[in-house]
Amino acid sequence: MGDLLSTIGTPLYYAISAIWLAWHRLFALLPISSGWAWTLAIIGLTVTIRALLIPLFVKQIKSSRNMQLIQPKVKELQKKYGHDRERLAQETMKLYKETGTNPFASCLPLILQMPIFLSLFHLLRNAANGEAKGFLTTADAKEIQNGEIFGAKISESLTNHTTTNVVVLAIILVIAMTATTFTTQRQLMSKNMPTDAMSGPYAQQQKLLLYVLPIVFAVGGIAFPIGLMLYWTTSNIWTMGQQFYVIRNNPAPGTPAAKAKEERDRAKAARHGVVAVDGPPATDVPEADRRPAQRQQPKRQSREQRKSSRPNQPKKDDNP
C-alpha cells in the first residue's frame, strides 16, 4: 500500500513543488522576508491550480444546472416507479444520459483538488522537519521550516506549534476556511436552485454538503499547517468569485438569480430607451433620454421617373 501511494504521490510532489518554486523565485525578487515569499508562492500555486481547473468548473456548473432542471422529471419517475427500485434506477440513468447530465460532475473539482491538497500537506510537513521532496532542496526546506508571517511559522499547526502567534493565526484561518466553504455552498443553493429542485434528492445532497464540508474542514484544520490552510482559503475565495460571476451572468432558469438578471436587463434597457421583448414599453424613460425615430430617406429616382411623377401643369399664357 505504501509503495502504491508513493508511486502515485511522487509525480505530484514534483509537479506541485515545480509550480511552487517558480512562484517563489518570482516573489523572492521583492523586498520581503523569506516567509512571505513562500506564503505568496502558495497563493500563486492556488491561482495556477484553479486556473487549470476552469474547464472542469464549467462542466460542473452545466451538470449542476441540468440536475436542477430535470428534478421535476425525476419526481415523476419516482411516483411512477417508486415501487420498483431497479426500474427507477434504470429510468433515472436513462434520463441522465438523454439530458447529458453527470450526477458526479459537481464533485470533480473537489476530487481532483484533494491529491494536490495532500501533496502540499506532505511537502509542508516534511519541510517542517527539514526534509525536502520533489524539486525542493534541503536549503528550500530549511527556509520553509523557518519561514514566518505575522510571527507564525507557515509549517506549523495547532497540534504542532511553538508560539502563541501560531495558535491565533491558525484559529483565524480555520474560521476563514470554514466560513468560505459554507458561504460558497450557500450561495449556490439560495440563488441558483429553482423552487422545484429544493425538495428533491439533489437538494438533500446539497444540504448535506452545506453542513458537512465546513465541519470536516473545521475539524481537519486543527492538524493542517498554516500554509495549507492559506491554500484552501484562497481556493475557496476563488470559487466564491468564479461562482458569483457565473450565477450573475448565466443563471439557471427559474431561479432567484435568473429573476434578478431579468430585472437588471430591463433596467438597462430602460436606461437606453429600448423596449424589452418580454416586458412593457419603457414609458417611464425621460423625454431627453429617448432616441428620436429615424427619418426614412426617400428612394433615389432617375430623371425620367421624376418627370413622369410630376403632375401635369397648365401651360403659361403668352398674352399678358
Side-chain angles (χ1 to χ4, degrees):
M1 185 66 178
D3 293 339
L4 178 61
L5 292 176
S6 178
T7 302
I8 297 174
T10 299
L12 281 174
Y13 293 146
Y14 280 98
I16 300 305
S17 63
I19 300 172
W20 193 12
L21 278 171
W23 281 104
H24 176 260
R25 298 291 184 265
L26 177 64
F27 289 116
L29 300 175
L30 302 177
I32 55 178
S33 67
S34 176
W36 275 107
W38 285 107
T39 300
L40 292 175
I42 290 175
I43 296 174
L45 168 67
T46 311
V47 171
T48 302
I49 297 300
R50 292 312 308 268
L52 293 174
L53 291 177
I54 285 178
L56 284 178
F57 178 80
V58 173
K59 188 175 182 179
Q60 174 196 18
I61 289 294
K62 290 181 179 179
S63 181
S64 297
R65 176 175 298 177
N66 287 343
M67 286 291 294
Q68 295 166 14
L69 297 178
I70 66 173
Q71 286 309 302
K73 295 183 179 180
V74 172
K75 289 182 180 180
E76 291 178 5
L77 292 176
Q78 290 173 343
K79 291 179 182 179
K80 188 174 181 180
Y81 303 108
H83 60 282
D84 189 347
R85 297 181 65 87
E86 184 177 352
R87 181 68 184 277
L88 175 61
Q90 292 175 353
E91 293 297 326
T92 303
M93 293 305 296
K94 182 179 178 182
L95 177 63
Y96 288 158
K97 186 176 181 180
E98 291 175 351
T99 56
T101 303
N102 183 358
F104 303 105
S106 59
C107 301
L108 275 178
L110 180 63
I111 292 173
L112 288 179
Q113 280 194 89
M114 290 313 296
I116 299 169
F117 185 79
L118 293 174
S119 297
L120 183 59
F121 172 76
H122 285 292
L123 288 173
L124 283 167
R125 188 181 64 175
N126 288 334
N129 298 322
E131 301 174 5
K133 270 187 174 292
F135 287 112
L136 295 176
T137 64
T138 304
D140 293 330
K142 290 291 184 182
E143 285 188 7
I144 296 169
Q145 181 184 29
N146 299 313
E148 293 184 354
I149 56 170
F150 303 115
K153 291 184 177 181
I154 62 174
S155 60
E156 293 185 348
S157 64
L158 275 172
T159 57
N160 181 23
H161 63 276
T162 55
T163 63
T164 306
N165 289 346
V166 174
V167 177
V168 174
L169 185 56
I171 291 175
I172 292 173
L173 287 174
V174 166
I175 294 172
M177 188 170 59
T178 304
T180 50
T181 301
F182 179 85
T183 304
T184 301
Q185 193 64 25
R186 180 66 180 170
Q187 177 181 248
L188 180 64
M189 292 185 63
S190 63
K191 294 184 178 181
N192 207 40
M193 285 187 68
T195 306
D196 294 339
M198 294 300 291
S199 58
Y202 181 74
Q204 298 301 320
Q205 175 190 348
Q206 296 299 312
K207 288 178 182 178
L208 183 65
L209 293 175
L210 176 65
Y211 296 104
V212 170
L213 281 180
I215 294 174
V216 169
F217 286 111
V219 175
I222 297 174
F224 293 161
I226 285 175
L228 193 63
M229 286 191 284
L230 280 169
Y231 170 87
W232 200 257
T233 302
T234 305
S235 181
N236 284 348
I237 293 172
W238 175 289
T239 301
M240 286 174 57
Q242 192 170 240
Q243 188 171 270
F244 175 81
Y245 177 83
V246 172
I247 291 175
R248 178 179 174 82
N249 295 282
N250 194 17
T255 61
K259 294 178 182 178
K261 186 176 186 302
E262 290 175 3
E263 292 176 0
R264 290 196 305 271
D265 291 343
R266 288 195 185 99
K268 184 177 180 181
R271 286 195 300 270
H272 291 83
V274 180
V275 178
V277 176
D278 55 346
T283 56
D284 57 342
V285 180
E287 186 68 28
D289 294 340
R290 295 180 188 171
R291 295 181 180 178
Q294 291 186 352
R295 212 171 138 187
Q296 188 174 5
Q297 298 294 330
K299 296 180 179 180
R300 296 175 64 95
Q301 294 180 338
S302 64
R303 183 179 297 178
E304 288 76 10
Q305 288 175 331
R306 288 197 298 271
K307 284 182 179 181
S308 62
S309 62
R310 291 177 184 169
N312 294 327
Q313 297 180 357
K315 293 181 179 181
K316 290 183 181 181
D317 192 359
D318 294 335
N319 295 325

